[in-house]
């Protein structure tokens, strides 16, 4: 038997983008381990990828050939068909939609299942741009609030690399369940702790990294901005503001501090639900720490005040002048790379008047036909919207409608695929070539397929080439090979590429993006703010223009919920969204609901029993765990579970409002969900 060791890259939605060593035996993957091709990840990968990748590629849920639905929507009843037959039916039915309603009745419903630059948005974007389909504003689901807050404050530039955490005197992990969602920064933090560095974790949930912290502030969801204001005010009282740095590099300081002084530690402590002494202690540690590293996470953005919370938090290192080669903020990693998305995705092919639809509104548009033209053909790929989207039941109602033609492109038969009319089998990231630019570090990687596509599966790029040919798109850009797409994805003339074209990057070796001086990129070392003023903008005219006057400065909106408990949805140690870990039917795959003893007693609830978590949008049955890992008034359950984990056929996404939005970028409010919990 031929046994080979091949180099790969993990493409799943995680900031670490690990390098992999993949063992292949007779054309099948038998083991996946970390490799040392990427120095940052140092041969270590998470348990979920190590344990579940083989099943992900070769398991019983894998799609091997095109399918046509023969049963009711959602029944999972399909028949096998040939590729030509599938493409013909897609062309015929989409053409009929365009003839009746126009091309904007067609829409891609995709996100970032794979994070390879080709698989996520390349040939697919060209296809939909040329078709004239409605465009999708995807970032509202995740990432837009964080990236807008960062860009509005610092510009489209990278912060400091995560390696800086290893030498910090103080690491502040804020809204980041890093142990399961940002593994390698935790390894850097532990290195710092071994050298005597302190760790502070700010999160409503006492996560594993929270248990290892010198100080954990379990604040109420949505109050991060107030905590940051209080820290800014206390740092000013301590005389810790670096006035020389502020005068040279910061705009909007006086306006920001006027807001901050209105929330002294005493007031913020009451609203945030944290101890006054902890706020004062943290301010003192920030004032004394050198180096100082802030590690914000995705959880910080997912609430009504998400943008303000991030902006106020990332202002703190600037106020104390701790920005440079060793101190700063681990954010904006995606800006480290010389990407050329216009060349890769070809938006010039799109008609000028094409509309853009917010991904959070898709469920309503599918259910109600409340836009003109209505949506009548939808392509679902790189995405499992039924599990991921807020207001799950509304989306489900929309997907049930027979008059909407649904095309699915997937690796496995997910819940969303079960509603599709035609399902096309996609190649996994182990079966195609791609470029990988992380959003959590500054290393660029290229990978080649380690095995051929299983069955009749095809890479996303080839699927959309075939669709373009079937729709008679003769533009030369639709004949581009994957190597040519790689060259289109990045600017080979940029010094960061070291003379490589995208397709020429060595496989099994990560290339670090560095400054003109050859050193790692670091804001206020060899990178400066990219804002219009060239300064740190605590008051942002750019954000005001994009998102309204209220977005010019951070602000606070109090909670006005009609249900007493705030539900938060942390990342899982077992799966990445609904990827990996089976189908959810086994008891150990069902996420728990964590509840504080005070809230359990007041409801007559006891541990290790199922409870009903509900609001006016839906209900989920989950096993209860009574613990002080969450504060009173807060419950927590992991995101991304399969629908079969609850007898109601719903997950906690059913409880999340698709209409409530964050204060920036129209972002989803997953961690601002009001619920009640009752006995079953």
């Amino acid at each position: 038997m031929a046994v080979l060791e091949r180099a790969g890259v993990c493409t799943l939605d995680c900031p670490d983008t690990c390098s992999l060593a993949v063992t292949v035996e007779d054309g099948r993957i038998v083991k996946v381990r970390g490799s040392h091709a990427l120095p940052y990840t140092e041969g270590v990968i998470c348990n979920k990828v190590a344990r579940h990748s083989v099943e992900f590629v070769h398991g019983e849920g894998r799609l091997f050939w095109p399918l046509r639905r023969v049963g009711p929507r959602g029944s999972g009843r399909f028949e096998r068909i040939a590729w030509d037959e599938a493409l013909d039916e897609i062309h015929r039915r989409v053409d009929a939609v365009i003839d009746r309603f126009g091309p904007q009745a067609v829409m891609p419903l995709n996100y970032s299942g794979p994070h390879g630059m080709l698989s996520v948005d390349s040939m697919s974007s060209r296809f939909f741009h040329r078709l004239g389909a409605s465009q999708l504003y995807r970032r509202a689901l995740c990432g837009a609030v964080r990236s807008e807050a960062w860009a509005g404050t610092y510009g489209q530039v990278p912060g400091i690399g995560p390696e800086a955490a290893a030498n910090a005197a103080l690491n502040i992990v804020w809204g980041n369940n890093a142990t399961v969602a940002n593994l390698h920064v935790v390894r850097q933090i532990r290195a710092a702790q071994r050298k005597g560095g302190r760790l502070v974790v700010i999160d409503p949930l006492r996560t594993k990294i929270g248990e290892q912290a010198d100080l954990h502030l379990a604040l109420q969801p949505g109050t991060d901005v107030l905590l940051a204001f209080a820290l800014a005010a206390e740092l000013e009282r301590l005389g810790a503001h670096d006035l020389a740095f502020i005068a040279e590099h910061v705009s909007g300081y006086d306006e920001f501090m006027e807001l901050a002084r209105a929330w002294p530690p005493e007031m913020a402590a009451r609203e945030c639900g944290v101890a006054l002494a902890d706020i004062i202690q943290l301010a003192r540690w920030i004032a004394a720490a050198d180096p100082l590293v802030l590690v914000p996470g995705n959880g910080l953005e997912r609430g009504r005040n998400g943008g303000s919370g991030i902006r106020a938090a990332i202002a703190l290192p600037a106020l104390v002048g701790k920005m440079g080669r060793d101190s700063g903020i681990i954010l904006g990693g995606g800006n480290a790379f010389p990407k050329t998305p216009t060349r890769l995705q070809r938006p010039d092919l799109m008609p000028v008047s094409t509309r853009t639809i917010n991904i959070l509104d898709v469920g309503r548009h599918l259910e109600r036909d409340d836009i003109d033209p209505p949506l009548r053909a939808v392509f679902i790929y790189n995405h499992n919207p039924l599990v991921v989207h807020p207001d799950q039941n509304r989306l489900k109602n929309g997907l049930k409608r027979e008059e909407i033609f649904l095309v699915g492109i997937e690796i496995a038969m997910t819940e969303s695929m079960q509603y599709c009319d035609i399902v096309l089998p996609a190649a996994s990231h182990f079966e195609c070539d791609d470029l990988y630019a992380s959003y959590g570090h500054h290393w660029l990687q290229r990978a080649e397929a380690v095995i051929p596509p299983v069955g009749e599966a095809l890479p996303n790029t080839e699927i959309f080439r075939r669709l373009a040919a079937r729709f008679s798109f003769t533009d030369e850009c639709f004949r581009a090979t994957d190597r040519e797409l790689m060259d289109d994805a990045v600017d080979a003339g940029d010094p960061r590429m070291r003379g490589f074209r995208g397709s020429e990057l060595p496989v099994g070796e990560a290339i670090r993006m560095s400054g003109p001086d050859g050193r790692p990129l670091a804001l206020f070392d060899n990178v400066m703010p990219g804002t219009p003023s060239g300064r740190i903008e605590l008051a942002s005219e750019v954000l005001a223009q994009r998102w309204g006057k209220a977005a010019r400065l951070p602000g606070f909106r109090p909670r006005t919920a009609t249900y007493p408990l705030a539900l938060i949805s942390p990342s899982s140690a077992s799966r990445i969204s609904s990827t990996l870990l089976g189908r959810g039917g086994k008891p150990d795959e069902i996420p728990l609901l964590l509840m504080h003893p005070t809230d359990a007693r007041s409801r007559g609830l006891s541990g290790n029993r199922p409870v009903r978590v509900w609001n006016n949008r839906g209900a989920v049955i989950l096993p209860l765990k009574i613990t002080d890992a969450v504060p009173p008034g807060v419950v927590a359950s992991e995101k991304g579970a399969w629908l079969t984990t609850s007898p109601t056929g719903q997950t906690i996404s059913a409880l999340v409002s698709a209409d409530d939005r964050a204060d920036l970028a129209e972002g989803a409010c997953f961690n601002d969900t009001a619920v009640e919990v009752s006995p079953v």
Side-chain angles (χ1 to χ4, degrees):
M1 293 185 290
V3 179
L4 303 171
E5 188 96 335
R6 306 293 300 274
V9 176
C10 183
T11 186
L12 299 178
D13 188 358
C14 165
D16 290 12
T17 318
C18 300
S19 61
L20 303 176
V22 185
T23 304
V24 177
E25 185 174 325
D26 288 343
R28 287 178 60 91
I29 294 171
V30 296
K31 182 184 290 187
V32 176
R33 297 175 291 111
S35 83
H36 292 274
L38 174 58
Y40 170 59
T41 57
E42 297 182 303
V44 176
I45 60 173
C46 66
N47 288 333
K48 44 197 166 191
V49 170
R51 292 177 57 194
H52 301 300
S53 288
V54 173
E55 178 71 14
F56 173 66
V57 176
H58 300 294
E60 63 179 19
R62 185 69 195 267
L63 294 169
F64 295 102
W65 40 72
L67 301 172
R68 177 196 288 124
R69 180 172 62 88
V70 295
R73 286 271 170 98
S75 67
R77 291 169 52 194
F78 293 89
E79 64 178 2
R80 179 179 177 178
I81 58 175
W83 265 102
D84 283 344
E85 190 176 359
L87 295 174
D88 285 343
E89 182 160 344
I90 293 170
H91 178 243
R92 176 179 60 80
R93 295 191 64 175
V94 170
D95 249 11
V97 167
I98 293 173
D99 286 345
R100 181 175 178 186
F101 297 100
Q104 293 188 90
V106 184
M107 186 191 72
L109 181 51
N110 64 309
Y111 193 61
S112 343
H115 270 248
M117 295 173 74
L118 272 60
S119 295
V120 70
D121 270 321
S122 61
M123 194 61 72
S124 57
S125 294
R126 296 180 181 190
F127 173 78
F128 290 112
H129 287 152
R130 176 66 176 78
L131 189 69
S134 291
Q135 296 299 292
L136 190 66
Y137 172 54
R138 302 171 184 85
R139 297 190 309 147
L141 197 61
C142 179
V145 177
R146 181 179 69 252
S147 60
E148 286 291 293
W150 175 258
T153 307
Y154 291 98
Q156 298 283 1
V157 293
I160 202 165
E163 294 88 348
N167 296 308
L170 175 63
N171 279 296
I172 303 175
V173 176
W174 201 324
N176 186 344
N177 189 7
T179 311
V180 301
N182 204 174
L183 171 64
H184 293 88
V185 82
V186 175
R187 300 177 72 242
Q188 306 296 317
I189 290 168
R190 287 176 179 164
Q193 289 180 295
R194 289 193 292 271
K195 300 170 189 174
R198 291 189 175 105
L199 169 63
V200 173
V201 172
I202 303 171
D203 198 304
L205 174 65
R206 189 173 66 241
T207 57
K208 186 174 181 180
I209 193 169
E211 294 171 353
Q212 299 163 346
D214 298 281
L215 179 64
H216 172 223
L217 283 77
L219 76 179
Q220 289 291 308
T223 63
D224 305 83
V225 60
L226 301 185
L227 176 58
F229 279 162
L231 289 168
E234 182 64 12
L235 286 165
E236 182 182 42
R237 191 189 68 80
L238 293 171
H241 285 198
D242 187 333
L243 299 179
F245 181 89
I246 291 167
E248 184 176 358
H249 296 297
V250 178
S251 296
Y253 171 76
D254 291 335
E255 293 173 275
F256 179 88
M257 286 308 303
E258 184 178 354
L259 295 171
R261 293 180 195 115
W263 286 96
E266 296 81 5
M267 287 182 59
R270 289 192 296 271
E271 190 73 31
C272 296
V274 300
L276 171 61
D278 288 345
I279 298 177
I280 293 172
Q281 181 67 78
L282 176 52
R284 289 173 177 164
W285 285 354
I286 291 172
D290 187 18
L292 167 70
V293 173
L294 176 62
V295 192
N298 289 359
L300 188 52
E301 73 168 22
R302 296 178 177 179
R304 64 192 183 280
N305 301 315
S308 294
I310 295 171
R311 291 171 71 188
I314 63 179
L316 297 173
L319 295 179
V320 293
K322 294 179 180 180
M323 307 282 290
R325 184 185 304 187
D326 301 312
S327 291
I329 306 160
I330 301 175
L331 207 58
N335 299 322
F337 306 92
K339 301 175 187 175
T340 50
T342 298
R343 198 168 65 192
L344 179 63
Q345 300 167 12
R346 295 295 304 274
D348 58 294
L349 298 170
M350 178 175 54
V352 174
S353 59
T354 302
R355 71 186 176 189
T356 298
I357 293 172
N358 188 319
I359 195 169
L360 302 180
D361 294 329
V362 168
R364 187 181 79 245
H365 295 330
L366 291 174
E367 183 186 50
R368 299 183 187 172
D369 283 353
D370 59 349
I371 52 175
D372 185 22
L375 295 175
R376 284 295 179 267
V378 176
F379 288 71
I380 303 174
Y381 65 103
N382 295 348
H383 194 26
N384 188 5
L386 261 182
V387 164
V388 175
H389 279 221
D391 217 333
Q392 187 174 80
N393 290 317
R394 185 162 72 182
L395 179 63
K396 187 183 296 184
N397 291 337
L399 295 179
K400 286 179 180 178
R401 295 179 59 193
E402 290 284 351
E403 61 268 39
I404 301 172
F405 178 54
L406 300 178
V407 178
I409 302 171
E410 251 295 0
I411 293 167
M413 181 54 75
T414 66
E415 296 98 331
S416 300
M417 291 300 101
Q418 293 180 23
Y419 286 80
C420 292
D421 299 288
I422 299 291
V423 177
L424 304 177
S428 75
H429 57 284
F430 294 110
E431 301 155 39
C432 58
D433 303 345
D434 218 326
L435 278 180
Y436 300 95
S438 171
Y439 63 87
H441 59 68
H442 302 167
W443 298 81
L444 182 63
Q445 302 175 83
R446 184 173 76 88
E448 294 177 346
V450 301
I451 58 171
V454 301
E456 297 179 9
L458 294 172
N460 281 1
T461 50
E462 179 60 21
I463 290 173
F464 282 98
R465 276 191 206 97
R466 295 189 182 192
L467 282 167
R470 195 54 53 102
F471 279 76
S472 301
F473 296 165
T474 58
D475 315 61
E476 186 178 350
C477 66
F478 293 108
R479 294 191 292 275
T481 65
D482 285 356
R483 292 186 68 84
E484 290 170 329
L485 290 173
M486 289 183 191
D487 292 340
D488 287 339
V490 288
D491 179 7
D494 190 288
R496 288 170 286 183
M497 292 298 294
R498 303 183 192 176
F500 289 110
R501 298 166 68 88
S503 62
E504 297 169 343
L505 286 167
V507 172
E509 178 183 345
I511 302 298
R512 191 175 201 165
M513 302 291 100
S514 57
D517 53 10
R519 296 201 316 272
L521 297 171
L523 192 56
F524 284 98
D525 179 27
N526 51 12
V527 178
M528 295 302 288
T531 57
S533 67
R535 295 158 64 89
I536 300 168
E537 297 187 353
L538 302 186
S540 173
E541 299 297 341
V542 170
L543 294 180
Q545 291 168 8
R546 288 180 183 168
W547 308 111
K549 292 180 180 179
R552 186 171 176 274
L553 285 157
F556 175 67
R557 295 184 291 176
R559 189 167 182 259
T560 57
T562 55
Y563 296 89
L565 298 171
L567 170 67
I568 61 173
S569 46
S571 301
S572 169
S574 303
R575 60 188 169 271
I576 298 175
S577 191
S578 57
T579 307
L580 311 177
L581 191 65
R583 295 293 298 274
K586 299 177 183 177
D588 62 352
E589 297 176 4
I590 301 173
L592 302 172
L593 181 78
L594 309 184
M595 175 182 277
H596 191 273
T598 301
D599 293 323
R601 280 195 301 271
S602 67
R603 290 164 174 79
L605 302 174
S606 56
N608 302 315
R609 292 190 177 186
V611 292
R612 181 173 179 261
V613 190
W614 59 277
N615 59 22
N616 60 318
R617 295 180 193 89
V620 184
I621 308 297
L622 296 174
L624 177 66
K625 179 178 180 179
I626 300 173
T627 173
D628 63 359
V630 289
V634 177
V635 289
S637 189
E638 293 175 347
K639 68 185 177 97
W642 294 84
L643 299 185
T644 50
T645 54
S646 169
T648 62
Q650 302 169 40
T651 69
I652 57 172
S653 291
L655 312 177
V656 181
S657 170
D659 300 320
D660 292 344
R661 304 291 165 87
D663 52 353
L664 270 188
E666 300 185 11
C669 292
F670 288 99
N671 286 341
D672 224 344
T673 299
V675 300
E676 182 55 285
V677 177
S678 309
V680 174

